[in-house]
Amino acid sequence: MRGLSRAFAAVFLASVAVNSPVMADGGFSGKSSPLCLVPVQNGLPIKKDLYQAFRMISKVVVVPGLDRPIIFPRNRGGVWTIDDTGSFVPFGGDFPNHYGDEYASDTSNGDVIGVSDKLGVFRLRRGEKEFQRIYAADGKPFVRPFSAVYVARFGGTVISDNSGLYLLKSSGEVENLPWDKSVAAGGPGRVFGLPELNLLLFTDYGHAYLRDDSGKITVFDEGFNGIQAARVTAKKEIFIQPTSNDNFTVPWPPTDPTRLPAHQGTSTYENFEGITVYVGDIVAIHGRKVSIDLPFRTDYPPPMEFPVGDILVKPAENGIYTLNSEDKWDFVDRSGEMAVRRSPPNAFHLPAENKALLINGSQGLHMLVLKTDERAAGCLK
């Protein structure tokens, strides 16, 4: 089974699971989870959502330093958030408001930087509630800013633009960063930070490049479909989550200088959050080794860590489960109501300050919180 692609295996096992018990090995504890579901105020679908809850959320962006999520719905338009009262409300303010916009956190001063290829560069100061545009996409200097990552060793945010590569300093000043077009003629593309290796990773038009701090550019890969995420592992390897196909890790420096680094990668079942999953079987959770069947033996959607305590959350097609200290699955009360036609409810990360996960299921928006949380008084009973 491990030779199957993850996407095919997940679909295959999901089809088998429909007529299978939840867990054949007794992995269900029969106990209630320490988490519960609190309805989000204004969290029911409206006419603009076609009265379908799944249309309320198509993407949730969590930016470190920003205590509210940035939520893009499918149909109703605008940008939304969960405010400090637990309500689903418009985000408000003049700021990047397109699905593909990117954000970066300046950890030196708490600013959040947003880039929009149509609108320009925006900033939200620590403690403020709204973004302000600080540079328009008018060629002075930005033409089409579309990707950003904060780089502490540079003292600012690196921004990719159609016209080149820039550094937005924490002071607000902008300077050009060298980009060698003789190696990468197409421009910088989307940028990812690899601070442990003092590298930046860029991907654009089927090519990927690594840039060191001296400005030297190395071809990392070519002829592929893109990269969703990248980071450095504990072994100082480069972890890549592609747009398609399996995740993989690449040794750095590469062992064979005559081959493209990405072609020397090794497939991994680890996801970006560091949870390793074989099809239907967790084998590592942030270094803690376990071997246990997943509910309904499917790895999609992947399990995710709850932001408080050592709790793992797994949405399944009949509800939501949490893994307890005995490596058994507890069931979240009334979470079966969230499933839609044997489809798992969607779970999204929220900022750490929220101490919750956001759930989008058949009954609208809910937050998954600890039963000891003061918000638990409003939990579904």
Side-chain angles (χ1 to χ4, degrees):
M1 182 64 74
R2 292 180 183 176
L4 297 174
S5 73
R6 296 182 64 142
F8 175 83
V11 171
F12 171 79
L13 287 174
S15 66
V16 172
V18 171
N19 297 311
S20 301
V22 173
M23 263 166 286
D25 66 344
F28 179 42
S29 70
K31 300 177 182 178
S32 176
S33 169
L35 305 182
C36 63
L37 290 160
V38 180
V40 171
Q41 297 182 52
N42 304 321
L44 292 175
I46 59 177
K47 184 177 180 179
K48 289 183 178 179
D49 307 312
L50 306 182
Y51 299 108
Q52 295 174 311
F54 77 89
R55 297 181 184 274
M56 298 179 70
I57 297 178
S58 63
K59 180 181 180 181
V60 177
V61 179
V62 174
V63 184
L66 182 60
D67 61 2
R68 294 174 291 152
I70 299 170
I71 300 174
F72 295 87
R74 294 179 186 270
N75 295 76
R76 68 166 68 184
V79 185
W80 296 69
T81 191
I82 306 293
D83 68 11
D84 54 10
T85 70
S87 297
F88 187 60
V89 297
F91 194 98
D94 180 25
F95 79 108
N97 59 1
H98 295 87
Y99 188 92
D101 295 339
E102 291 193 12
Y103 307 84
S105 299
D106 186 332
T107 56
S108 70
N109 57 18
D111 288 353
V112 176
I113 303 299
V115 296
S116 167
D117 61 357
K118 296 179 176 62
L119 301 176
V121 178
F122 295 74
R123 179 176 60 194
L124 187 150
R125 294 286 198 182
R126 183 195 294 272
E128 295 181 353
K129 294 296 184 181
E130 297 184 355
F131 283 84
Q132 303 294 327
R133 181 158 57 180
I134 56 176
Y135 289 97
D138 59 0
K140 303 175 184 178
F142 300 103
V143 175
R144 184 174 169 261
F146 57 87
S147 189
V149 64
Y150 176 70
V151 182
R153 63 187 184 279
F154 289 179
T157 301
V158 173
I159 298 177
S160 289
D161 186 87
N162 270 18
S163 61
L165 190 64
Y166 297 90
L167 176 66
L168 173 64
K169 294 183 177 180
S170 298
S171 63
E173 299 177 53
V174 177
E175 67 179 42
N176 285 89
L177 291 176
W179 184 262
D180 188 351
K181 291 190 175 181
S182 67
V183 179
R190 190 179 180 192
V191 58
F192 302 89
L194 303 174
E196 298 87 347
L197 299 176
N198 289 341
L199 293 172
L200 294 174
L201 173 66
F202 297 87
T203 175
D204 193 35
Y205 300 113
H207 293 79
Y209 308 96
L210 289 170
R211 182 188 185 277
D212 66 18
D213 290 354
S214 72
K216 179 182 176 182
I217 296 176
T218 303
V219 179
F220 182 73
D221 200 3
E222 57 187 19
F224 70 107
N225 293 326
I227 294 174
Q228 291 190 65
R231 61 175 172 82
V232 178
T233 71
K235 295 180 179 179
K236 294 298 189 290
E237 296 180 325
I238 300 174
F239 172 94
I240 298 294
Q241 180 180 333
T243 302
S244 58
N245 301 321
D246 291 346
N247 301 338
F248 62 94
T249 58
V250 178
W252 194 262
T255 54
D256 184 351
T258 66
R259 299 170 57 208
L260 291 175
H263 295 182
Q264 302 177 51
T266 302
S267 294
T268 177
Y269 283 96
E270 185 173 300
N271 65 18
F272 185 75
E273 287 74 28
I275 300 173
T276 303
V277 182
Y278 290 115
V279 176
D281 180 39
I282 302 174
V283 295
I285 308 167
H286 288 261
R288 183 167 71 88
K289 301 293 183 180
V290 300
S291 181
I292 183 171
D293 287 339
L294 293 173
F296 280 89
R297 295 194 60 79
T298 57
D299 64 346
Y300 185 82
M304 60 176 61
E305 284 197 331
F306 191 73
V308 181
D310 185 18
I311 301 174
L312 195 74
V313 177
K314 176 66 177 78
E317 60 186 66
N318 70 334
I320 303 171
Y321 293 83
T322 58
L323 191 65
N324 63 30
S325 60
E326 298 175 349
D327 294 338
K328 299 286 186 179
W329 293 103
D330 301 331
F331 191 72
V332 175
D333 297 340
R334 294 187 61 180
S335 62
E337 300 173 18
M338 302 297 110
V340 185
R341 296 181 183 177
R342 296 187 182 273
S343 176
N346 295 308
F348 302 91
H349 289 292
L350 290 172
E353 296 88 342
N354 296 163
K355 298 180 180 179
L357 295 178
L358 180 61
I359 304 297
N360 186 12
S362 64
Q363 304 300 310
L365 302 184
H366 291 72
M367 283 193 292
L368 192 62
V369 304
L370 284 167
K371 288 181 176 177
T372 55
D373 191 300
E374 61 181 14
R375 294 168 293 183
C379 277
L380 298 177
K381 305 297 184 182

